[in-house]
Amino acid sequence: MVSWFHQTELTTVLDLARCEEFRRRLDAHGIPYKVKGKDRPSPWFSLWGGRERTGVFFQNASLDRQYVIYVSRENLSLAQAVTGLEAKR
């Protein structure tokens, strides 16, 4: 488990299949990680559920969730090498 104080964001993805690919790679190398999901079209408190009941016209349903993968700071460079991601600048 990655502690809250020592974690850093590895990447953010919108596709569950790609998130699972990153998770498999991290698991294969024994790198601990944490994934947080966020509901992107969540309404403002004043709308009280209009968007999630009715949807948005022409909205791609597969892009409704955002997944953020966190790793510990000590494992960041190894995790970037394993997943093929570049370091943030």
Side-chain angles (χ1 to χ4, degrees), residues 42-50:
S42 62
W44 291 6
F45 99 101
S46 62
L47 297 178
W48 291 116

Side-chain angles (χ1 to χ4, degrees), residues 9 12 16-17 19 21-22 28 33 38 51 57 60 68 74-75 78-79 89:
E9 182 180 328
T12 301
L16 181 59
C19 179
E21 176 186 339
F22 286 138
Y33 61 89
K38 179 182 177 188
R51 289 175 68 185
F57 199 53
N60 188 349
V68 183
E74 296 83 27
N75 293 329
L78 178 60
R89 296 175 189 222

Side-chain angles (χ1 to χ4, degrees), residues 6 23 35 43 50 62 65 68 71 73-74 78 80-81 86-87:
H6 301 287
R23 291 179 64 197
V35 178
S62 66
R65 302 276 306 168
V68 183
V71 296
R73 290 186 185 121
E74 296 83 27
L78 178 60
Q80 288 170 337
E86 295 180 6

Side-chain angles (χ1 to χ4, degrees), residues 12-22 62-67 69:
T12 301
V13 294
L14 298 176
D15 183 16
L16 181 59
R18 187 166 168 144
C19 179
E20 290 297 321
E21 176 186 339
F22 286 138
S62 66
L63 300 177
D64 281 352
R65 302 276 306 168
Q66 175 182 352
Y67 304 95
I69 302 174

